[in-house]
Amino acid sequence: MQFPSIDPIFLSIGPLHFRWYGLMYVLSFIASYFILRAESHRKKLSLSTSDIADLLFYGIVGVILGGRVGYILFYNLDFYVANPLRVFAVWNGGMSFHGGFLGVITAFLLYSKQNKIPFFILIDMASQCAPVGLGLGRIGNFINGELYGRQTDMPWGIIFPNGSGVPRHPSQLYEALLEGIVLFLVVRFAARKSSVTGIQAWTFCAGYGLFRFIIEFYRLPDAQLGTFWGIFSMGQLLSMPMFII
């Protein structure tokens, strides 16, 4: 199938251009606010609307800074060492989930200490937000025609604009399904079936590690890295510990 003609810019106002990918981030942050608020009420935490907004702000900073630093360190360090000013060119892409994951952990540790709330209670709450952001983010990747999969002869293979003219796995949609919808339902099920603190967080950790490891076999490895030992991608090497731990 040919890649559908989707303009990555959904709205232009003069020199300002608003992209679908950026909209996915905004939608995920809005959804996260309501999820955090609902979970706060369910756990009977004395968090005000302002407290929830502060917690979300910590999470956003953790995602953006961690995601950017993680991409630089894990995926393209040599390039950014040679071009240090490009570190700030976030509009050109370059975010890492695993970096964002570590960034959120760091941010929530700080929030936990400042507000005297157990860390794992906060991470449990965040574990229901993360799949929403992951699912929407992968849809944004698909709209951009980026991070596509390896070549395939399956009937649902898609010929992406920059995919060398061959049909490829729409791995972004695989990830949106597994890391987004399925993982959200699994974590939410765990939250409703057990009141033990940490269950949601570790369920998310294991679920993401497993799903990402599997999907990476269908996703095209990063050109600047390729595979390690001819088998594993960087995404798999970073996801494997999440599942094992």
Side-chain angles (χ1 to χ4, degrees), residues 4-208:
S5 179
I6 305 175
D7 190 340
I9 298 174
F10 71 90
L11 177 65
S12 294
I13 303 176
L16 298 177
H17 302 293
F18 299 92
R19 297 178 175 271
W20 286 107
Y21 188 72
L23 178 63
M24 296 303 164
Y25 268 86
V26 174
L27 292 177
S28 67
F29 293 148
I30 293 173
S32 295
Y33 171 81
F34 288 105
I35 292 172
L36 290 173
R37 190 173 71 173
E39 283 298 291
S40 175
H41 291 161
R42 191 176 71 86
K43 294 177 180 293
K44 296 180 172 57
L45 300 178
S46 57
L47 294 177
S48 66
T49 300
S50 178
D51 293 331
I52 296 295
D54 289 343
L55 179 60
L56 179 62
F57 176 74
Y58 273 69
I60 291 173
V61 172
V63 165
I64 295 175
L65 290 183
R68 186 60 171 168
V69 172
Y71 178 80
I72 292 169
L73 294 179
F74 299 145
Y75 289 94
N76 220 349
L77 182 59
D78 291 343
F79 173 81
Y80 289 102
V81 168
N83 305 275
L85 293 180
R86 296 293 293 274
V87 167
F88 305 102
V90 294
W91 52 87
N92 289 329
M95 298 286 282
S96 160
F97 162 79
H98 297 90
F101 177 72
L102 295 175
V104 169
I105 288 176
T106 302
F108 276 28
L109 275 172
L110 293 174
Y111 188 93
S112 172
K113 290 183 177 181
Q114 291 177 359
N115 294 274
K116 304 296 187 292
I117 301 174
F119 168 71
F120 267 105
I121 288 181
L122 299 178
I123 291 297
D124 275 350
M125 294 165 63
S127 68
Q128 291 193 47
C129 302
V132 176
L134 286 165
L136 290 172
R138 294 313 181 193
I139 292 174
N141 291 143
F142 179 78
I143 292 173
N144 285 344
E146 61 189 6
L147 302 184
Y148 40 72
R150 306 181 192 214
Q151 187 172 346
T152 181
D153 57 2
M154 301 304 290
W156 57 81
I158 294 178
I159 300 176
F160 289 91
N162 299 314
S164 303
V166 298
R168 297 183 177 278
H169 285 285
S171 55
Q172 316 97 320
L173 300 183
Y174 301 169
E175 292 187 84
L177 174 62
L178 288 180
E179 299 169 10
I181 297 172
V182 174
L183 187 54
F184 175 79
L185 294 175
V186 170
V187 173
R188 195 167 183 83
F189 177 80
R192 297 301 184 269
K193 283 295 181 180
S194 175
S195 60
V196 177
T197 300
I199 287 291
Q200 298 172 65
W202 288 115
T203 298
F204 170 80
C205 193
Y208 180 86

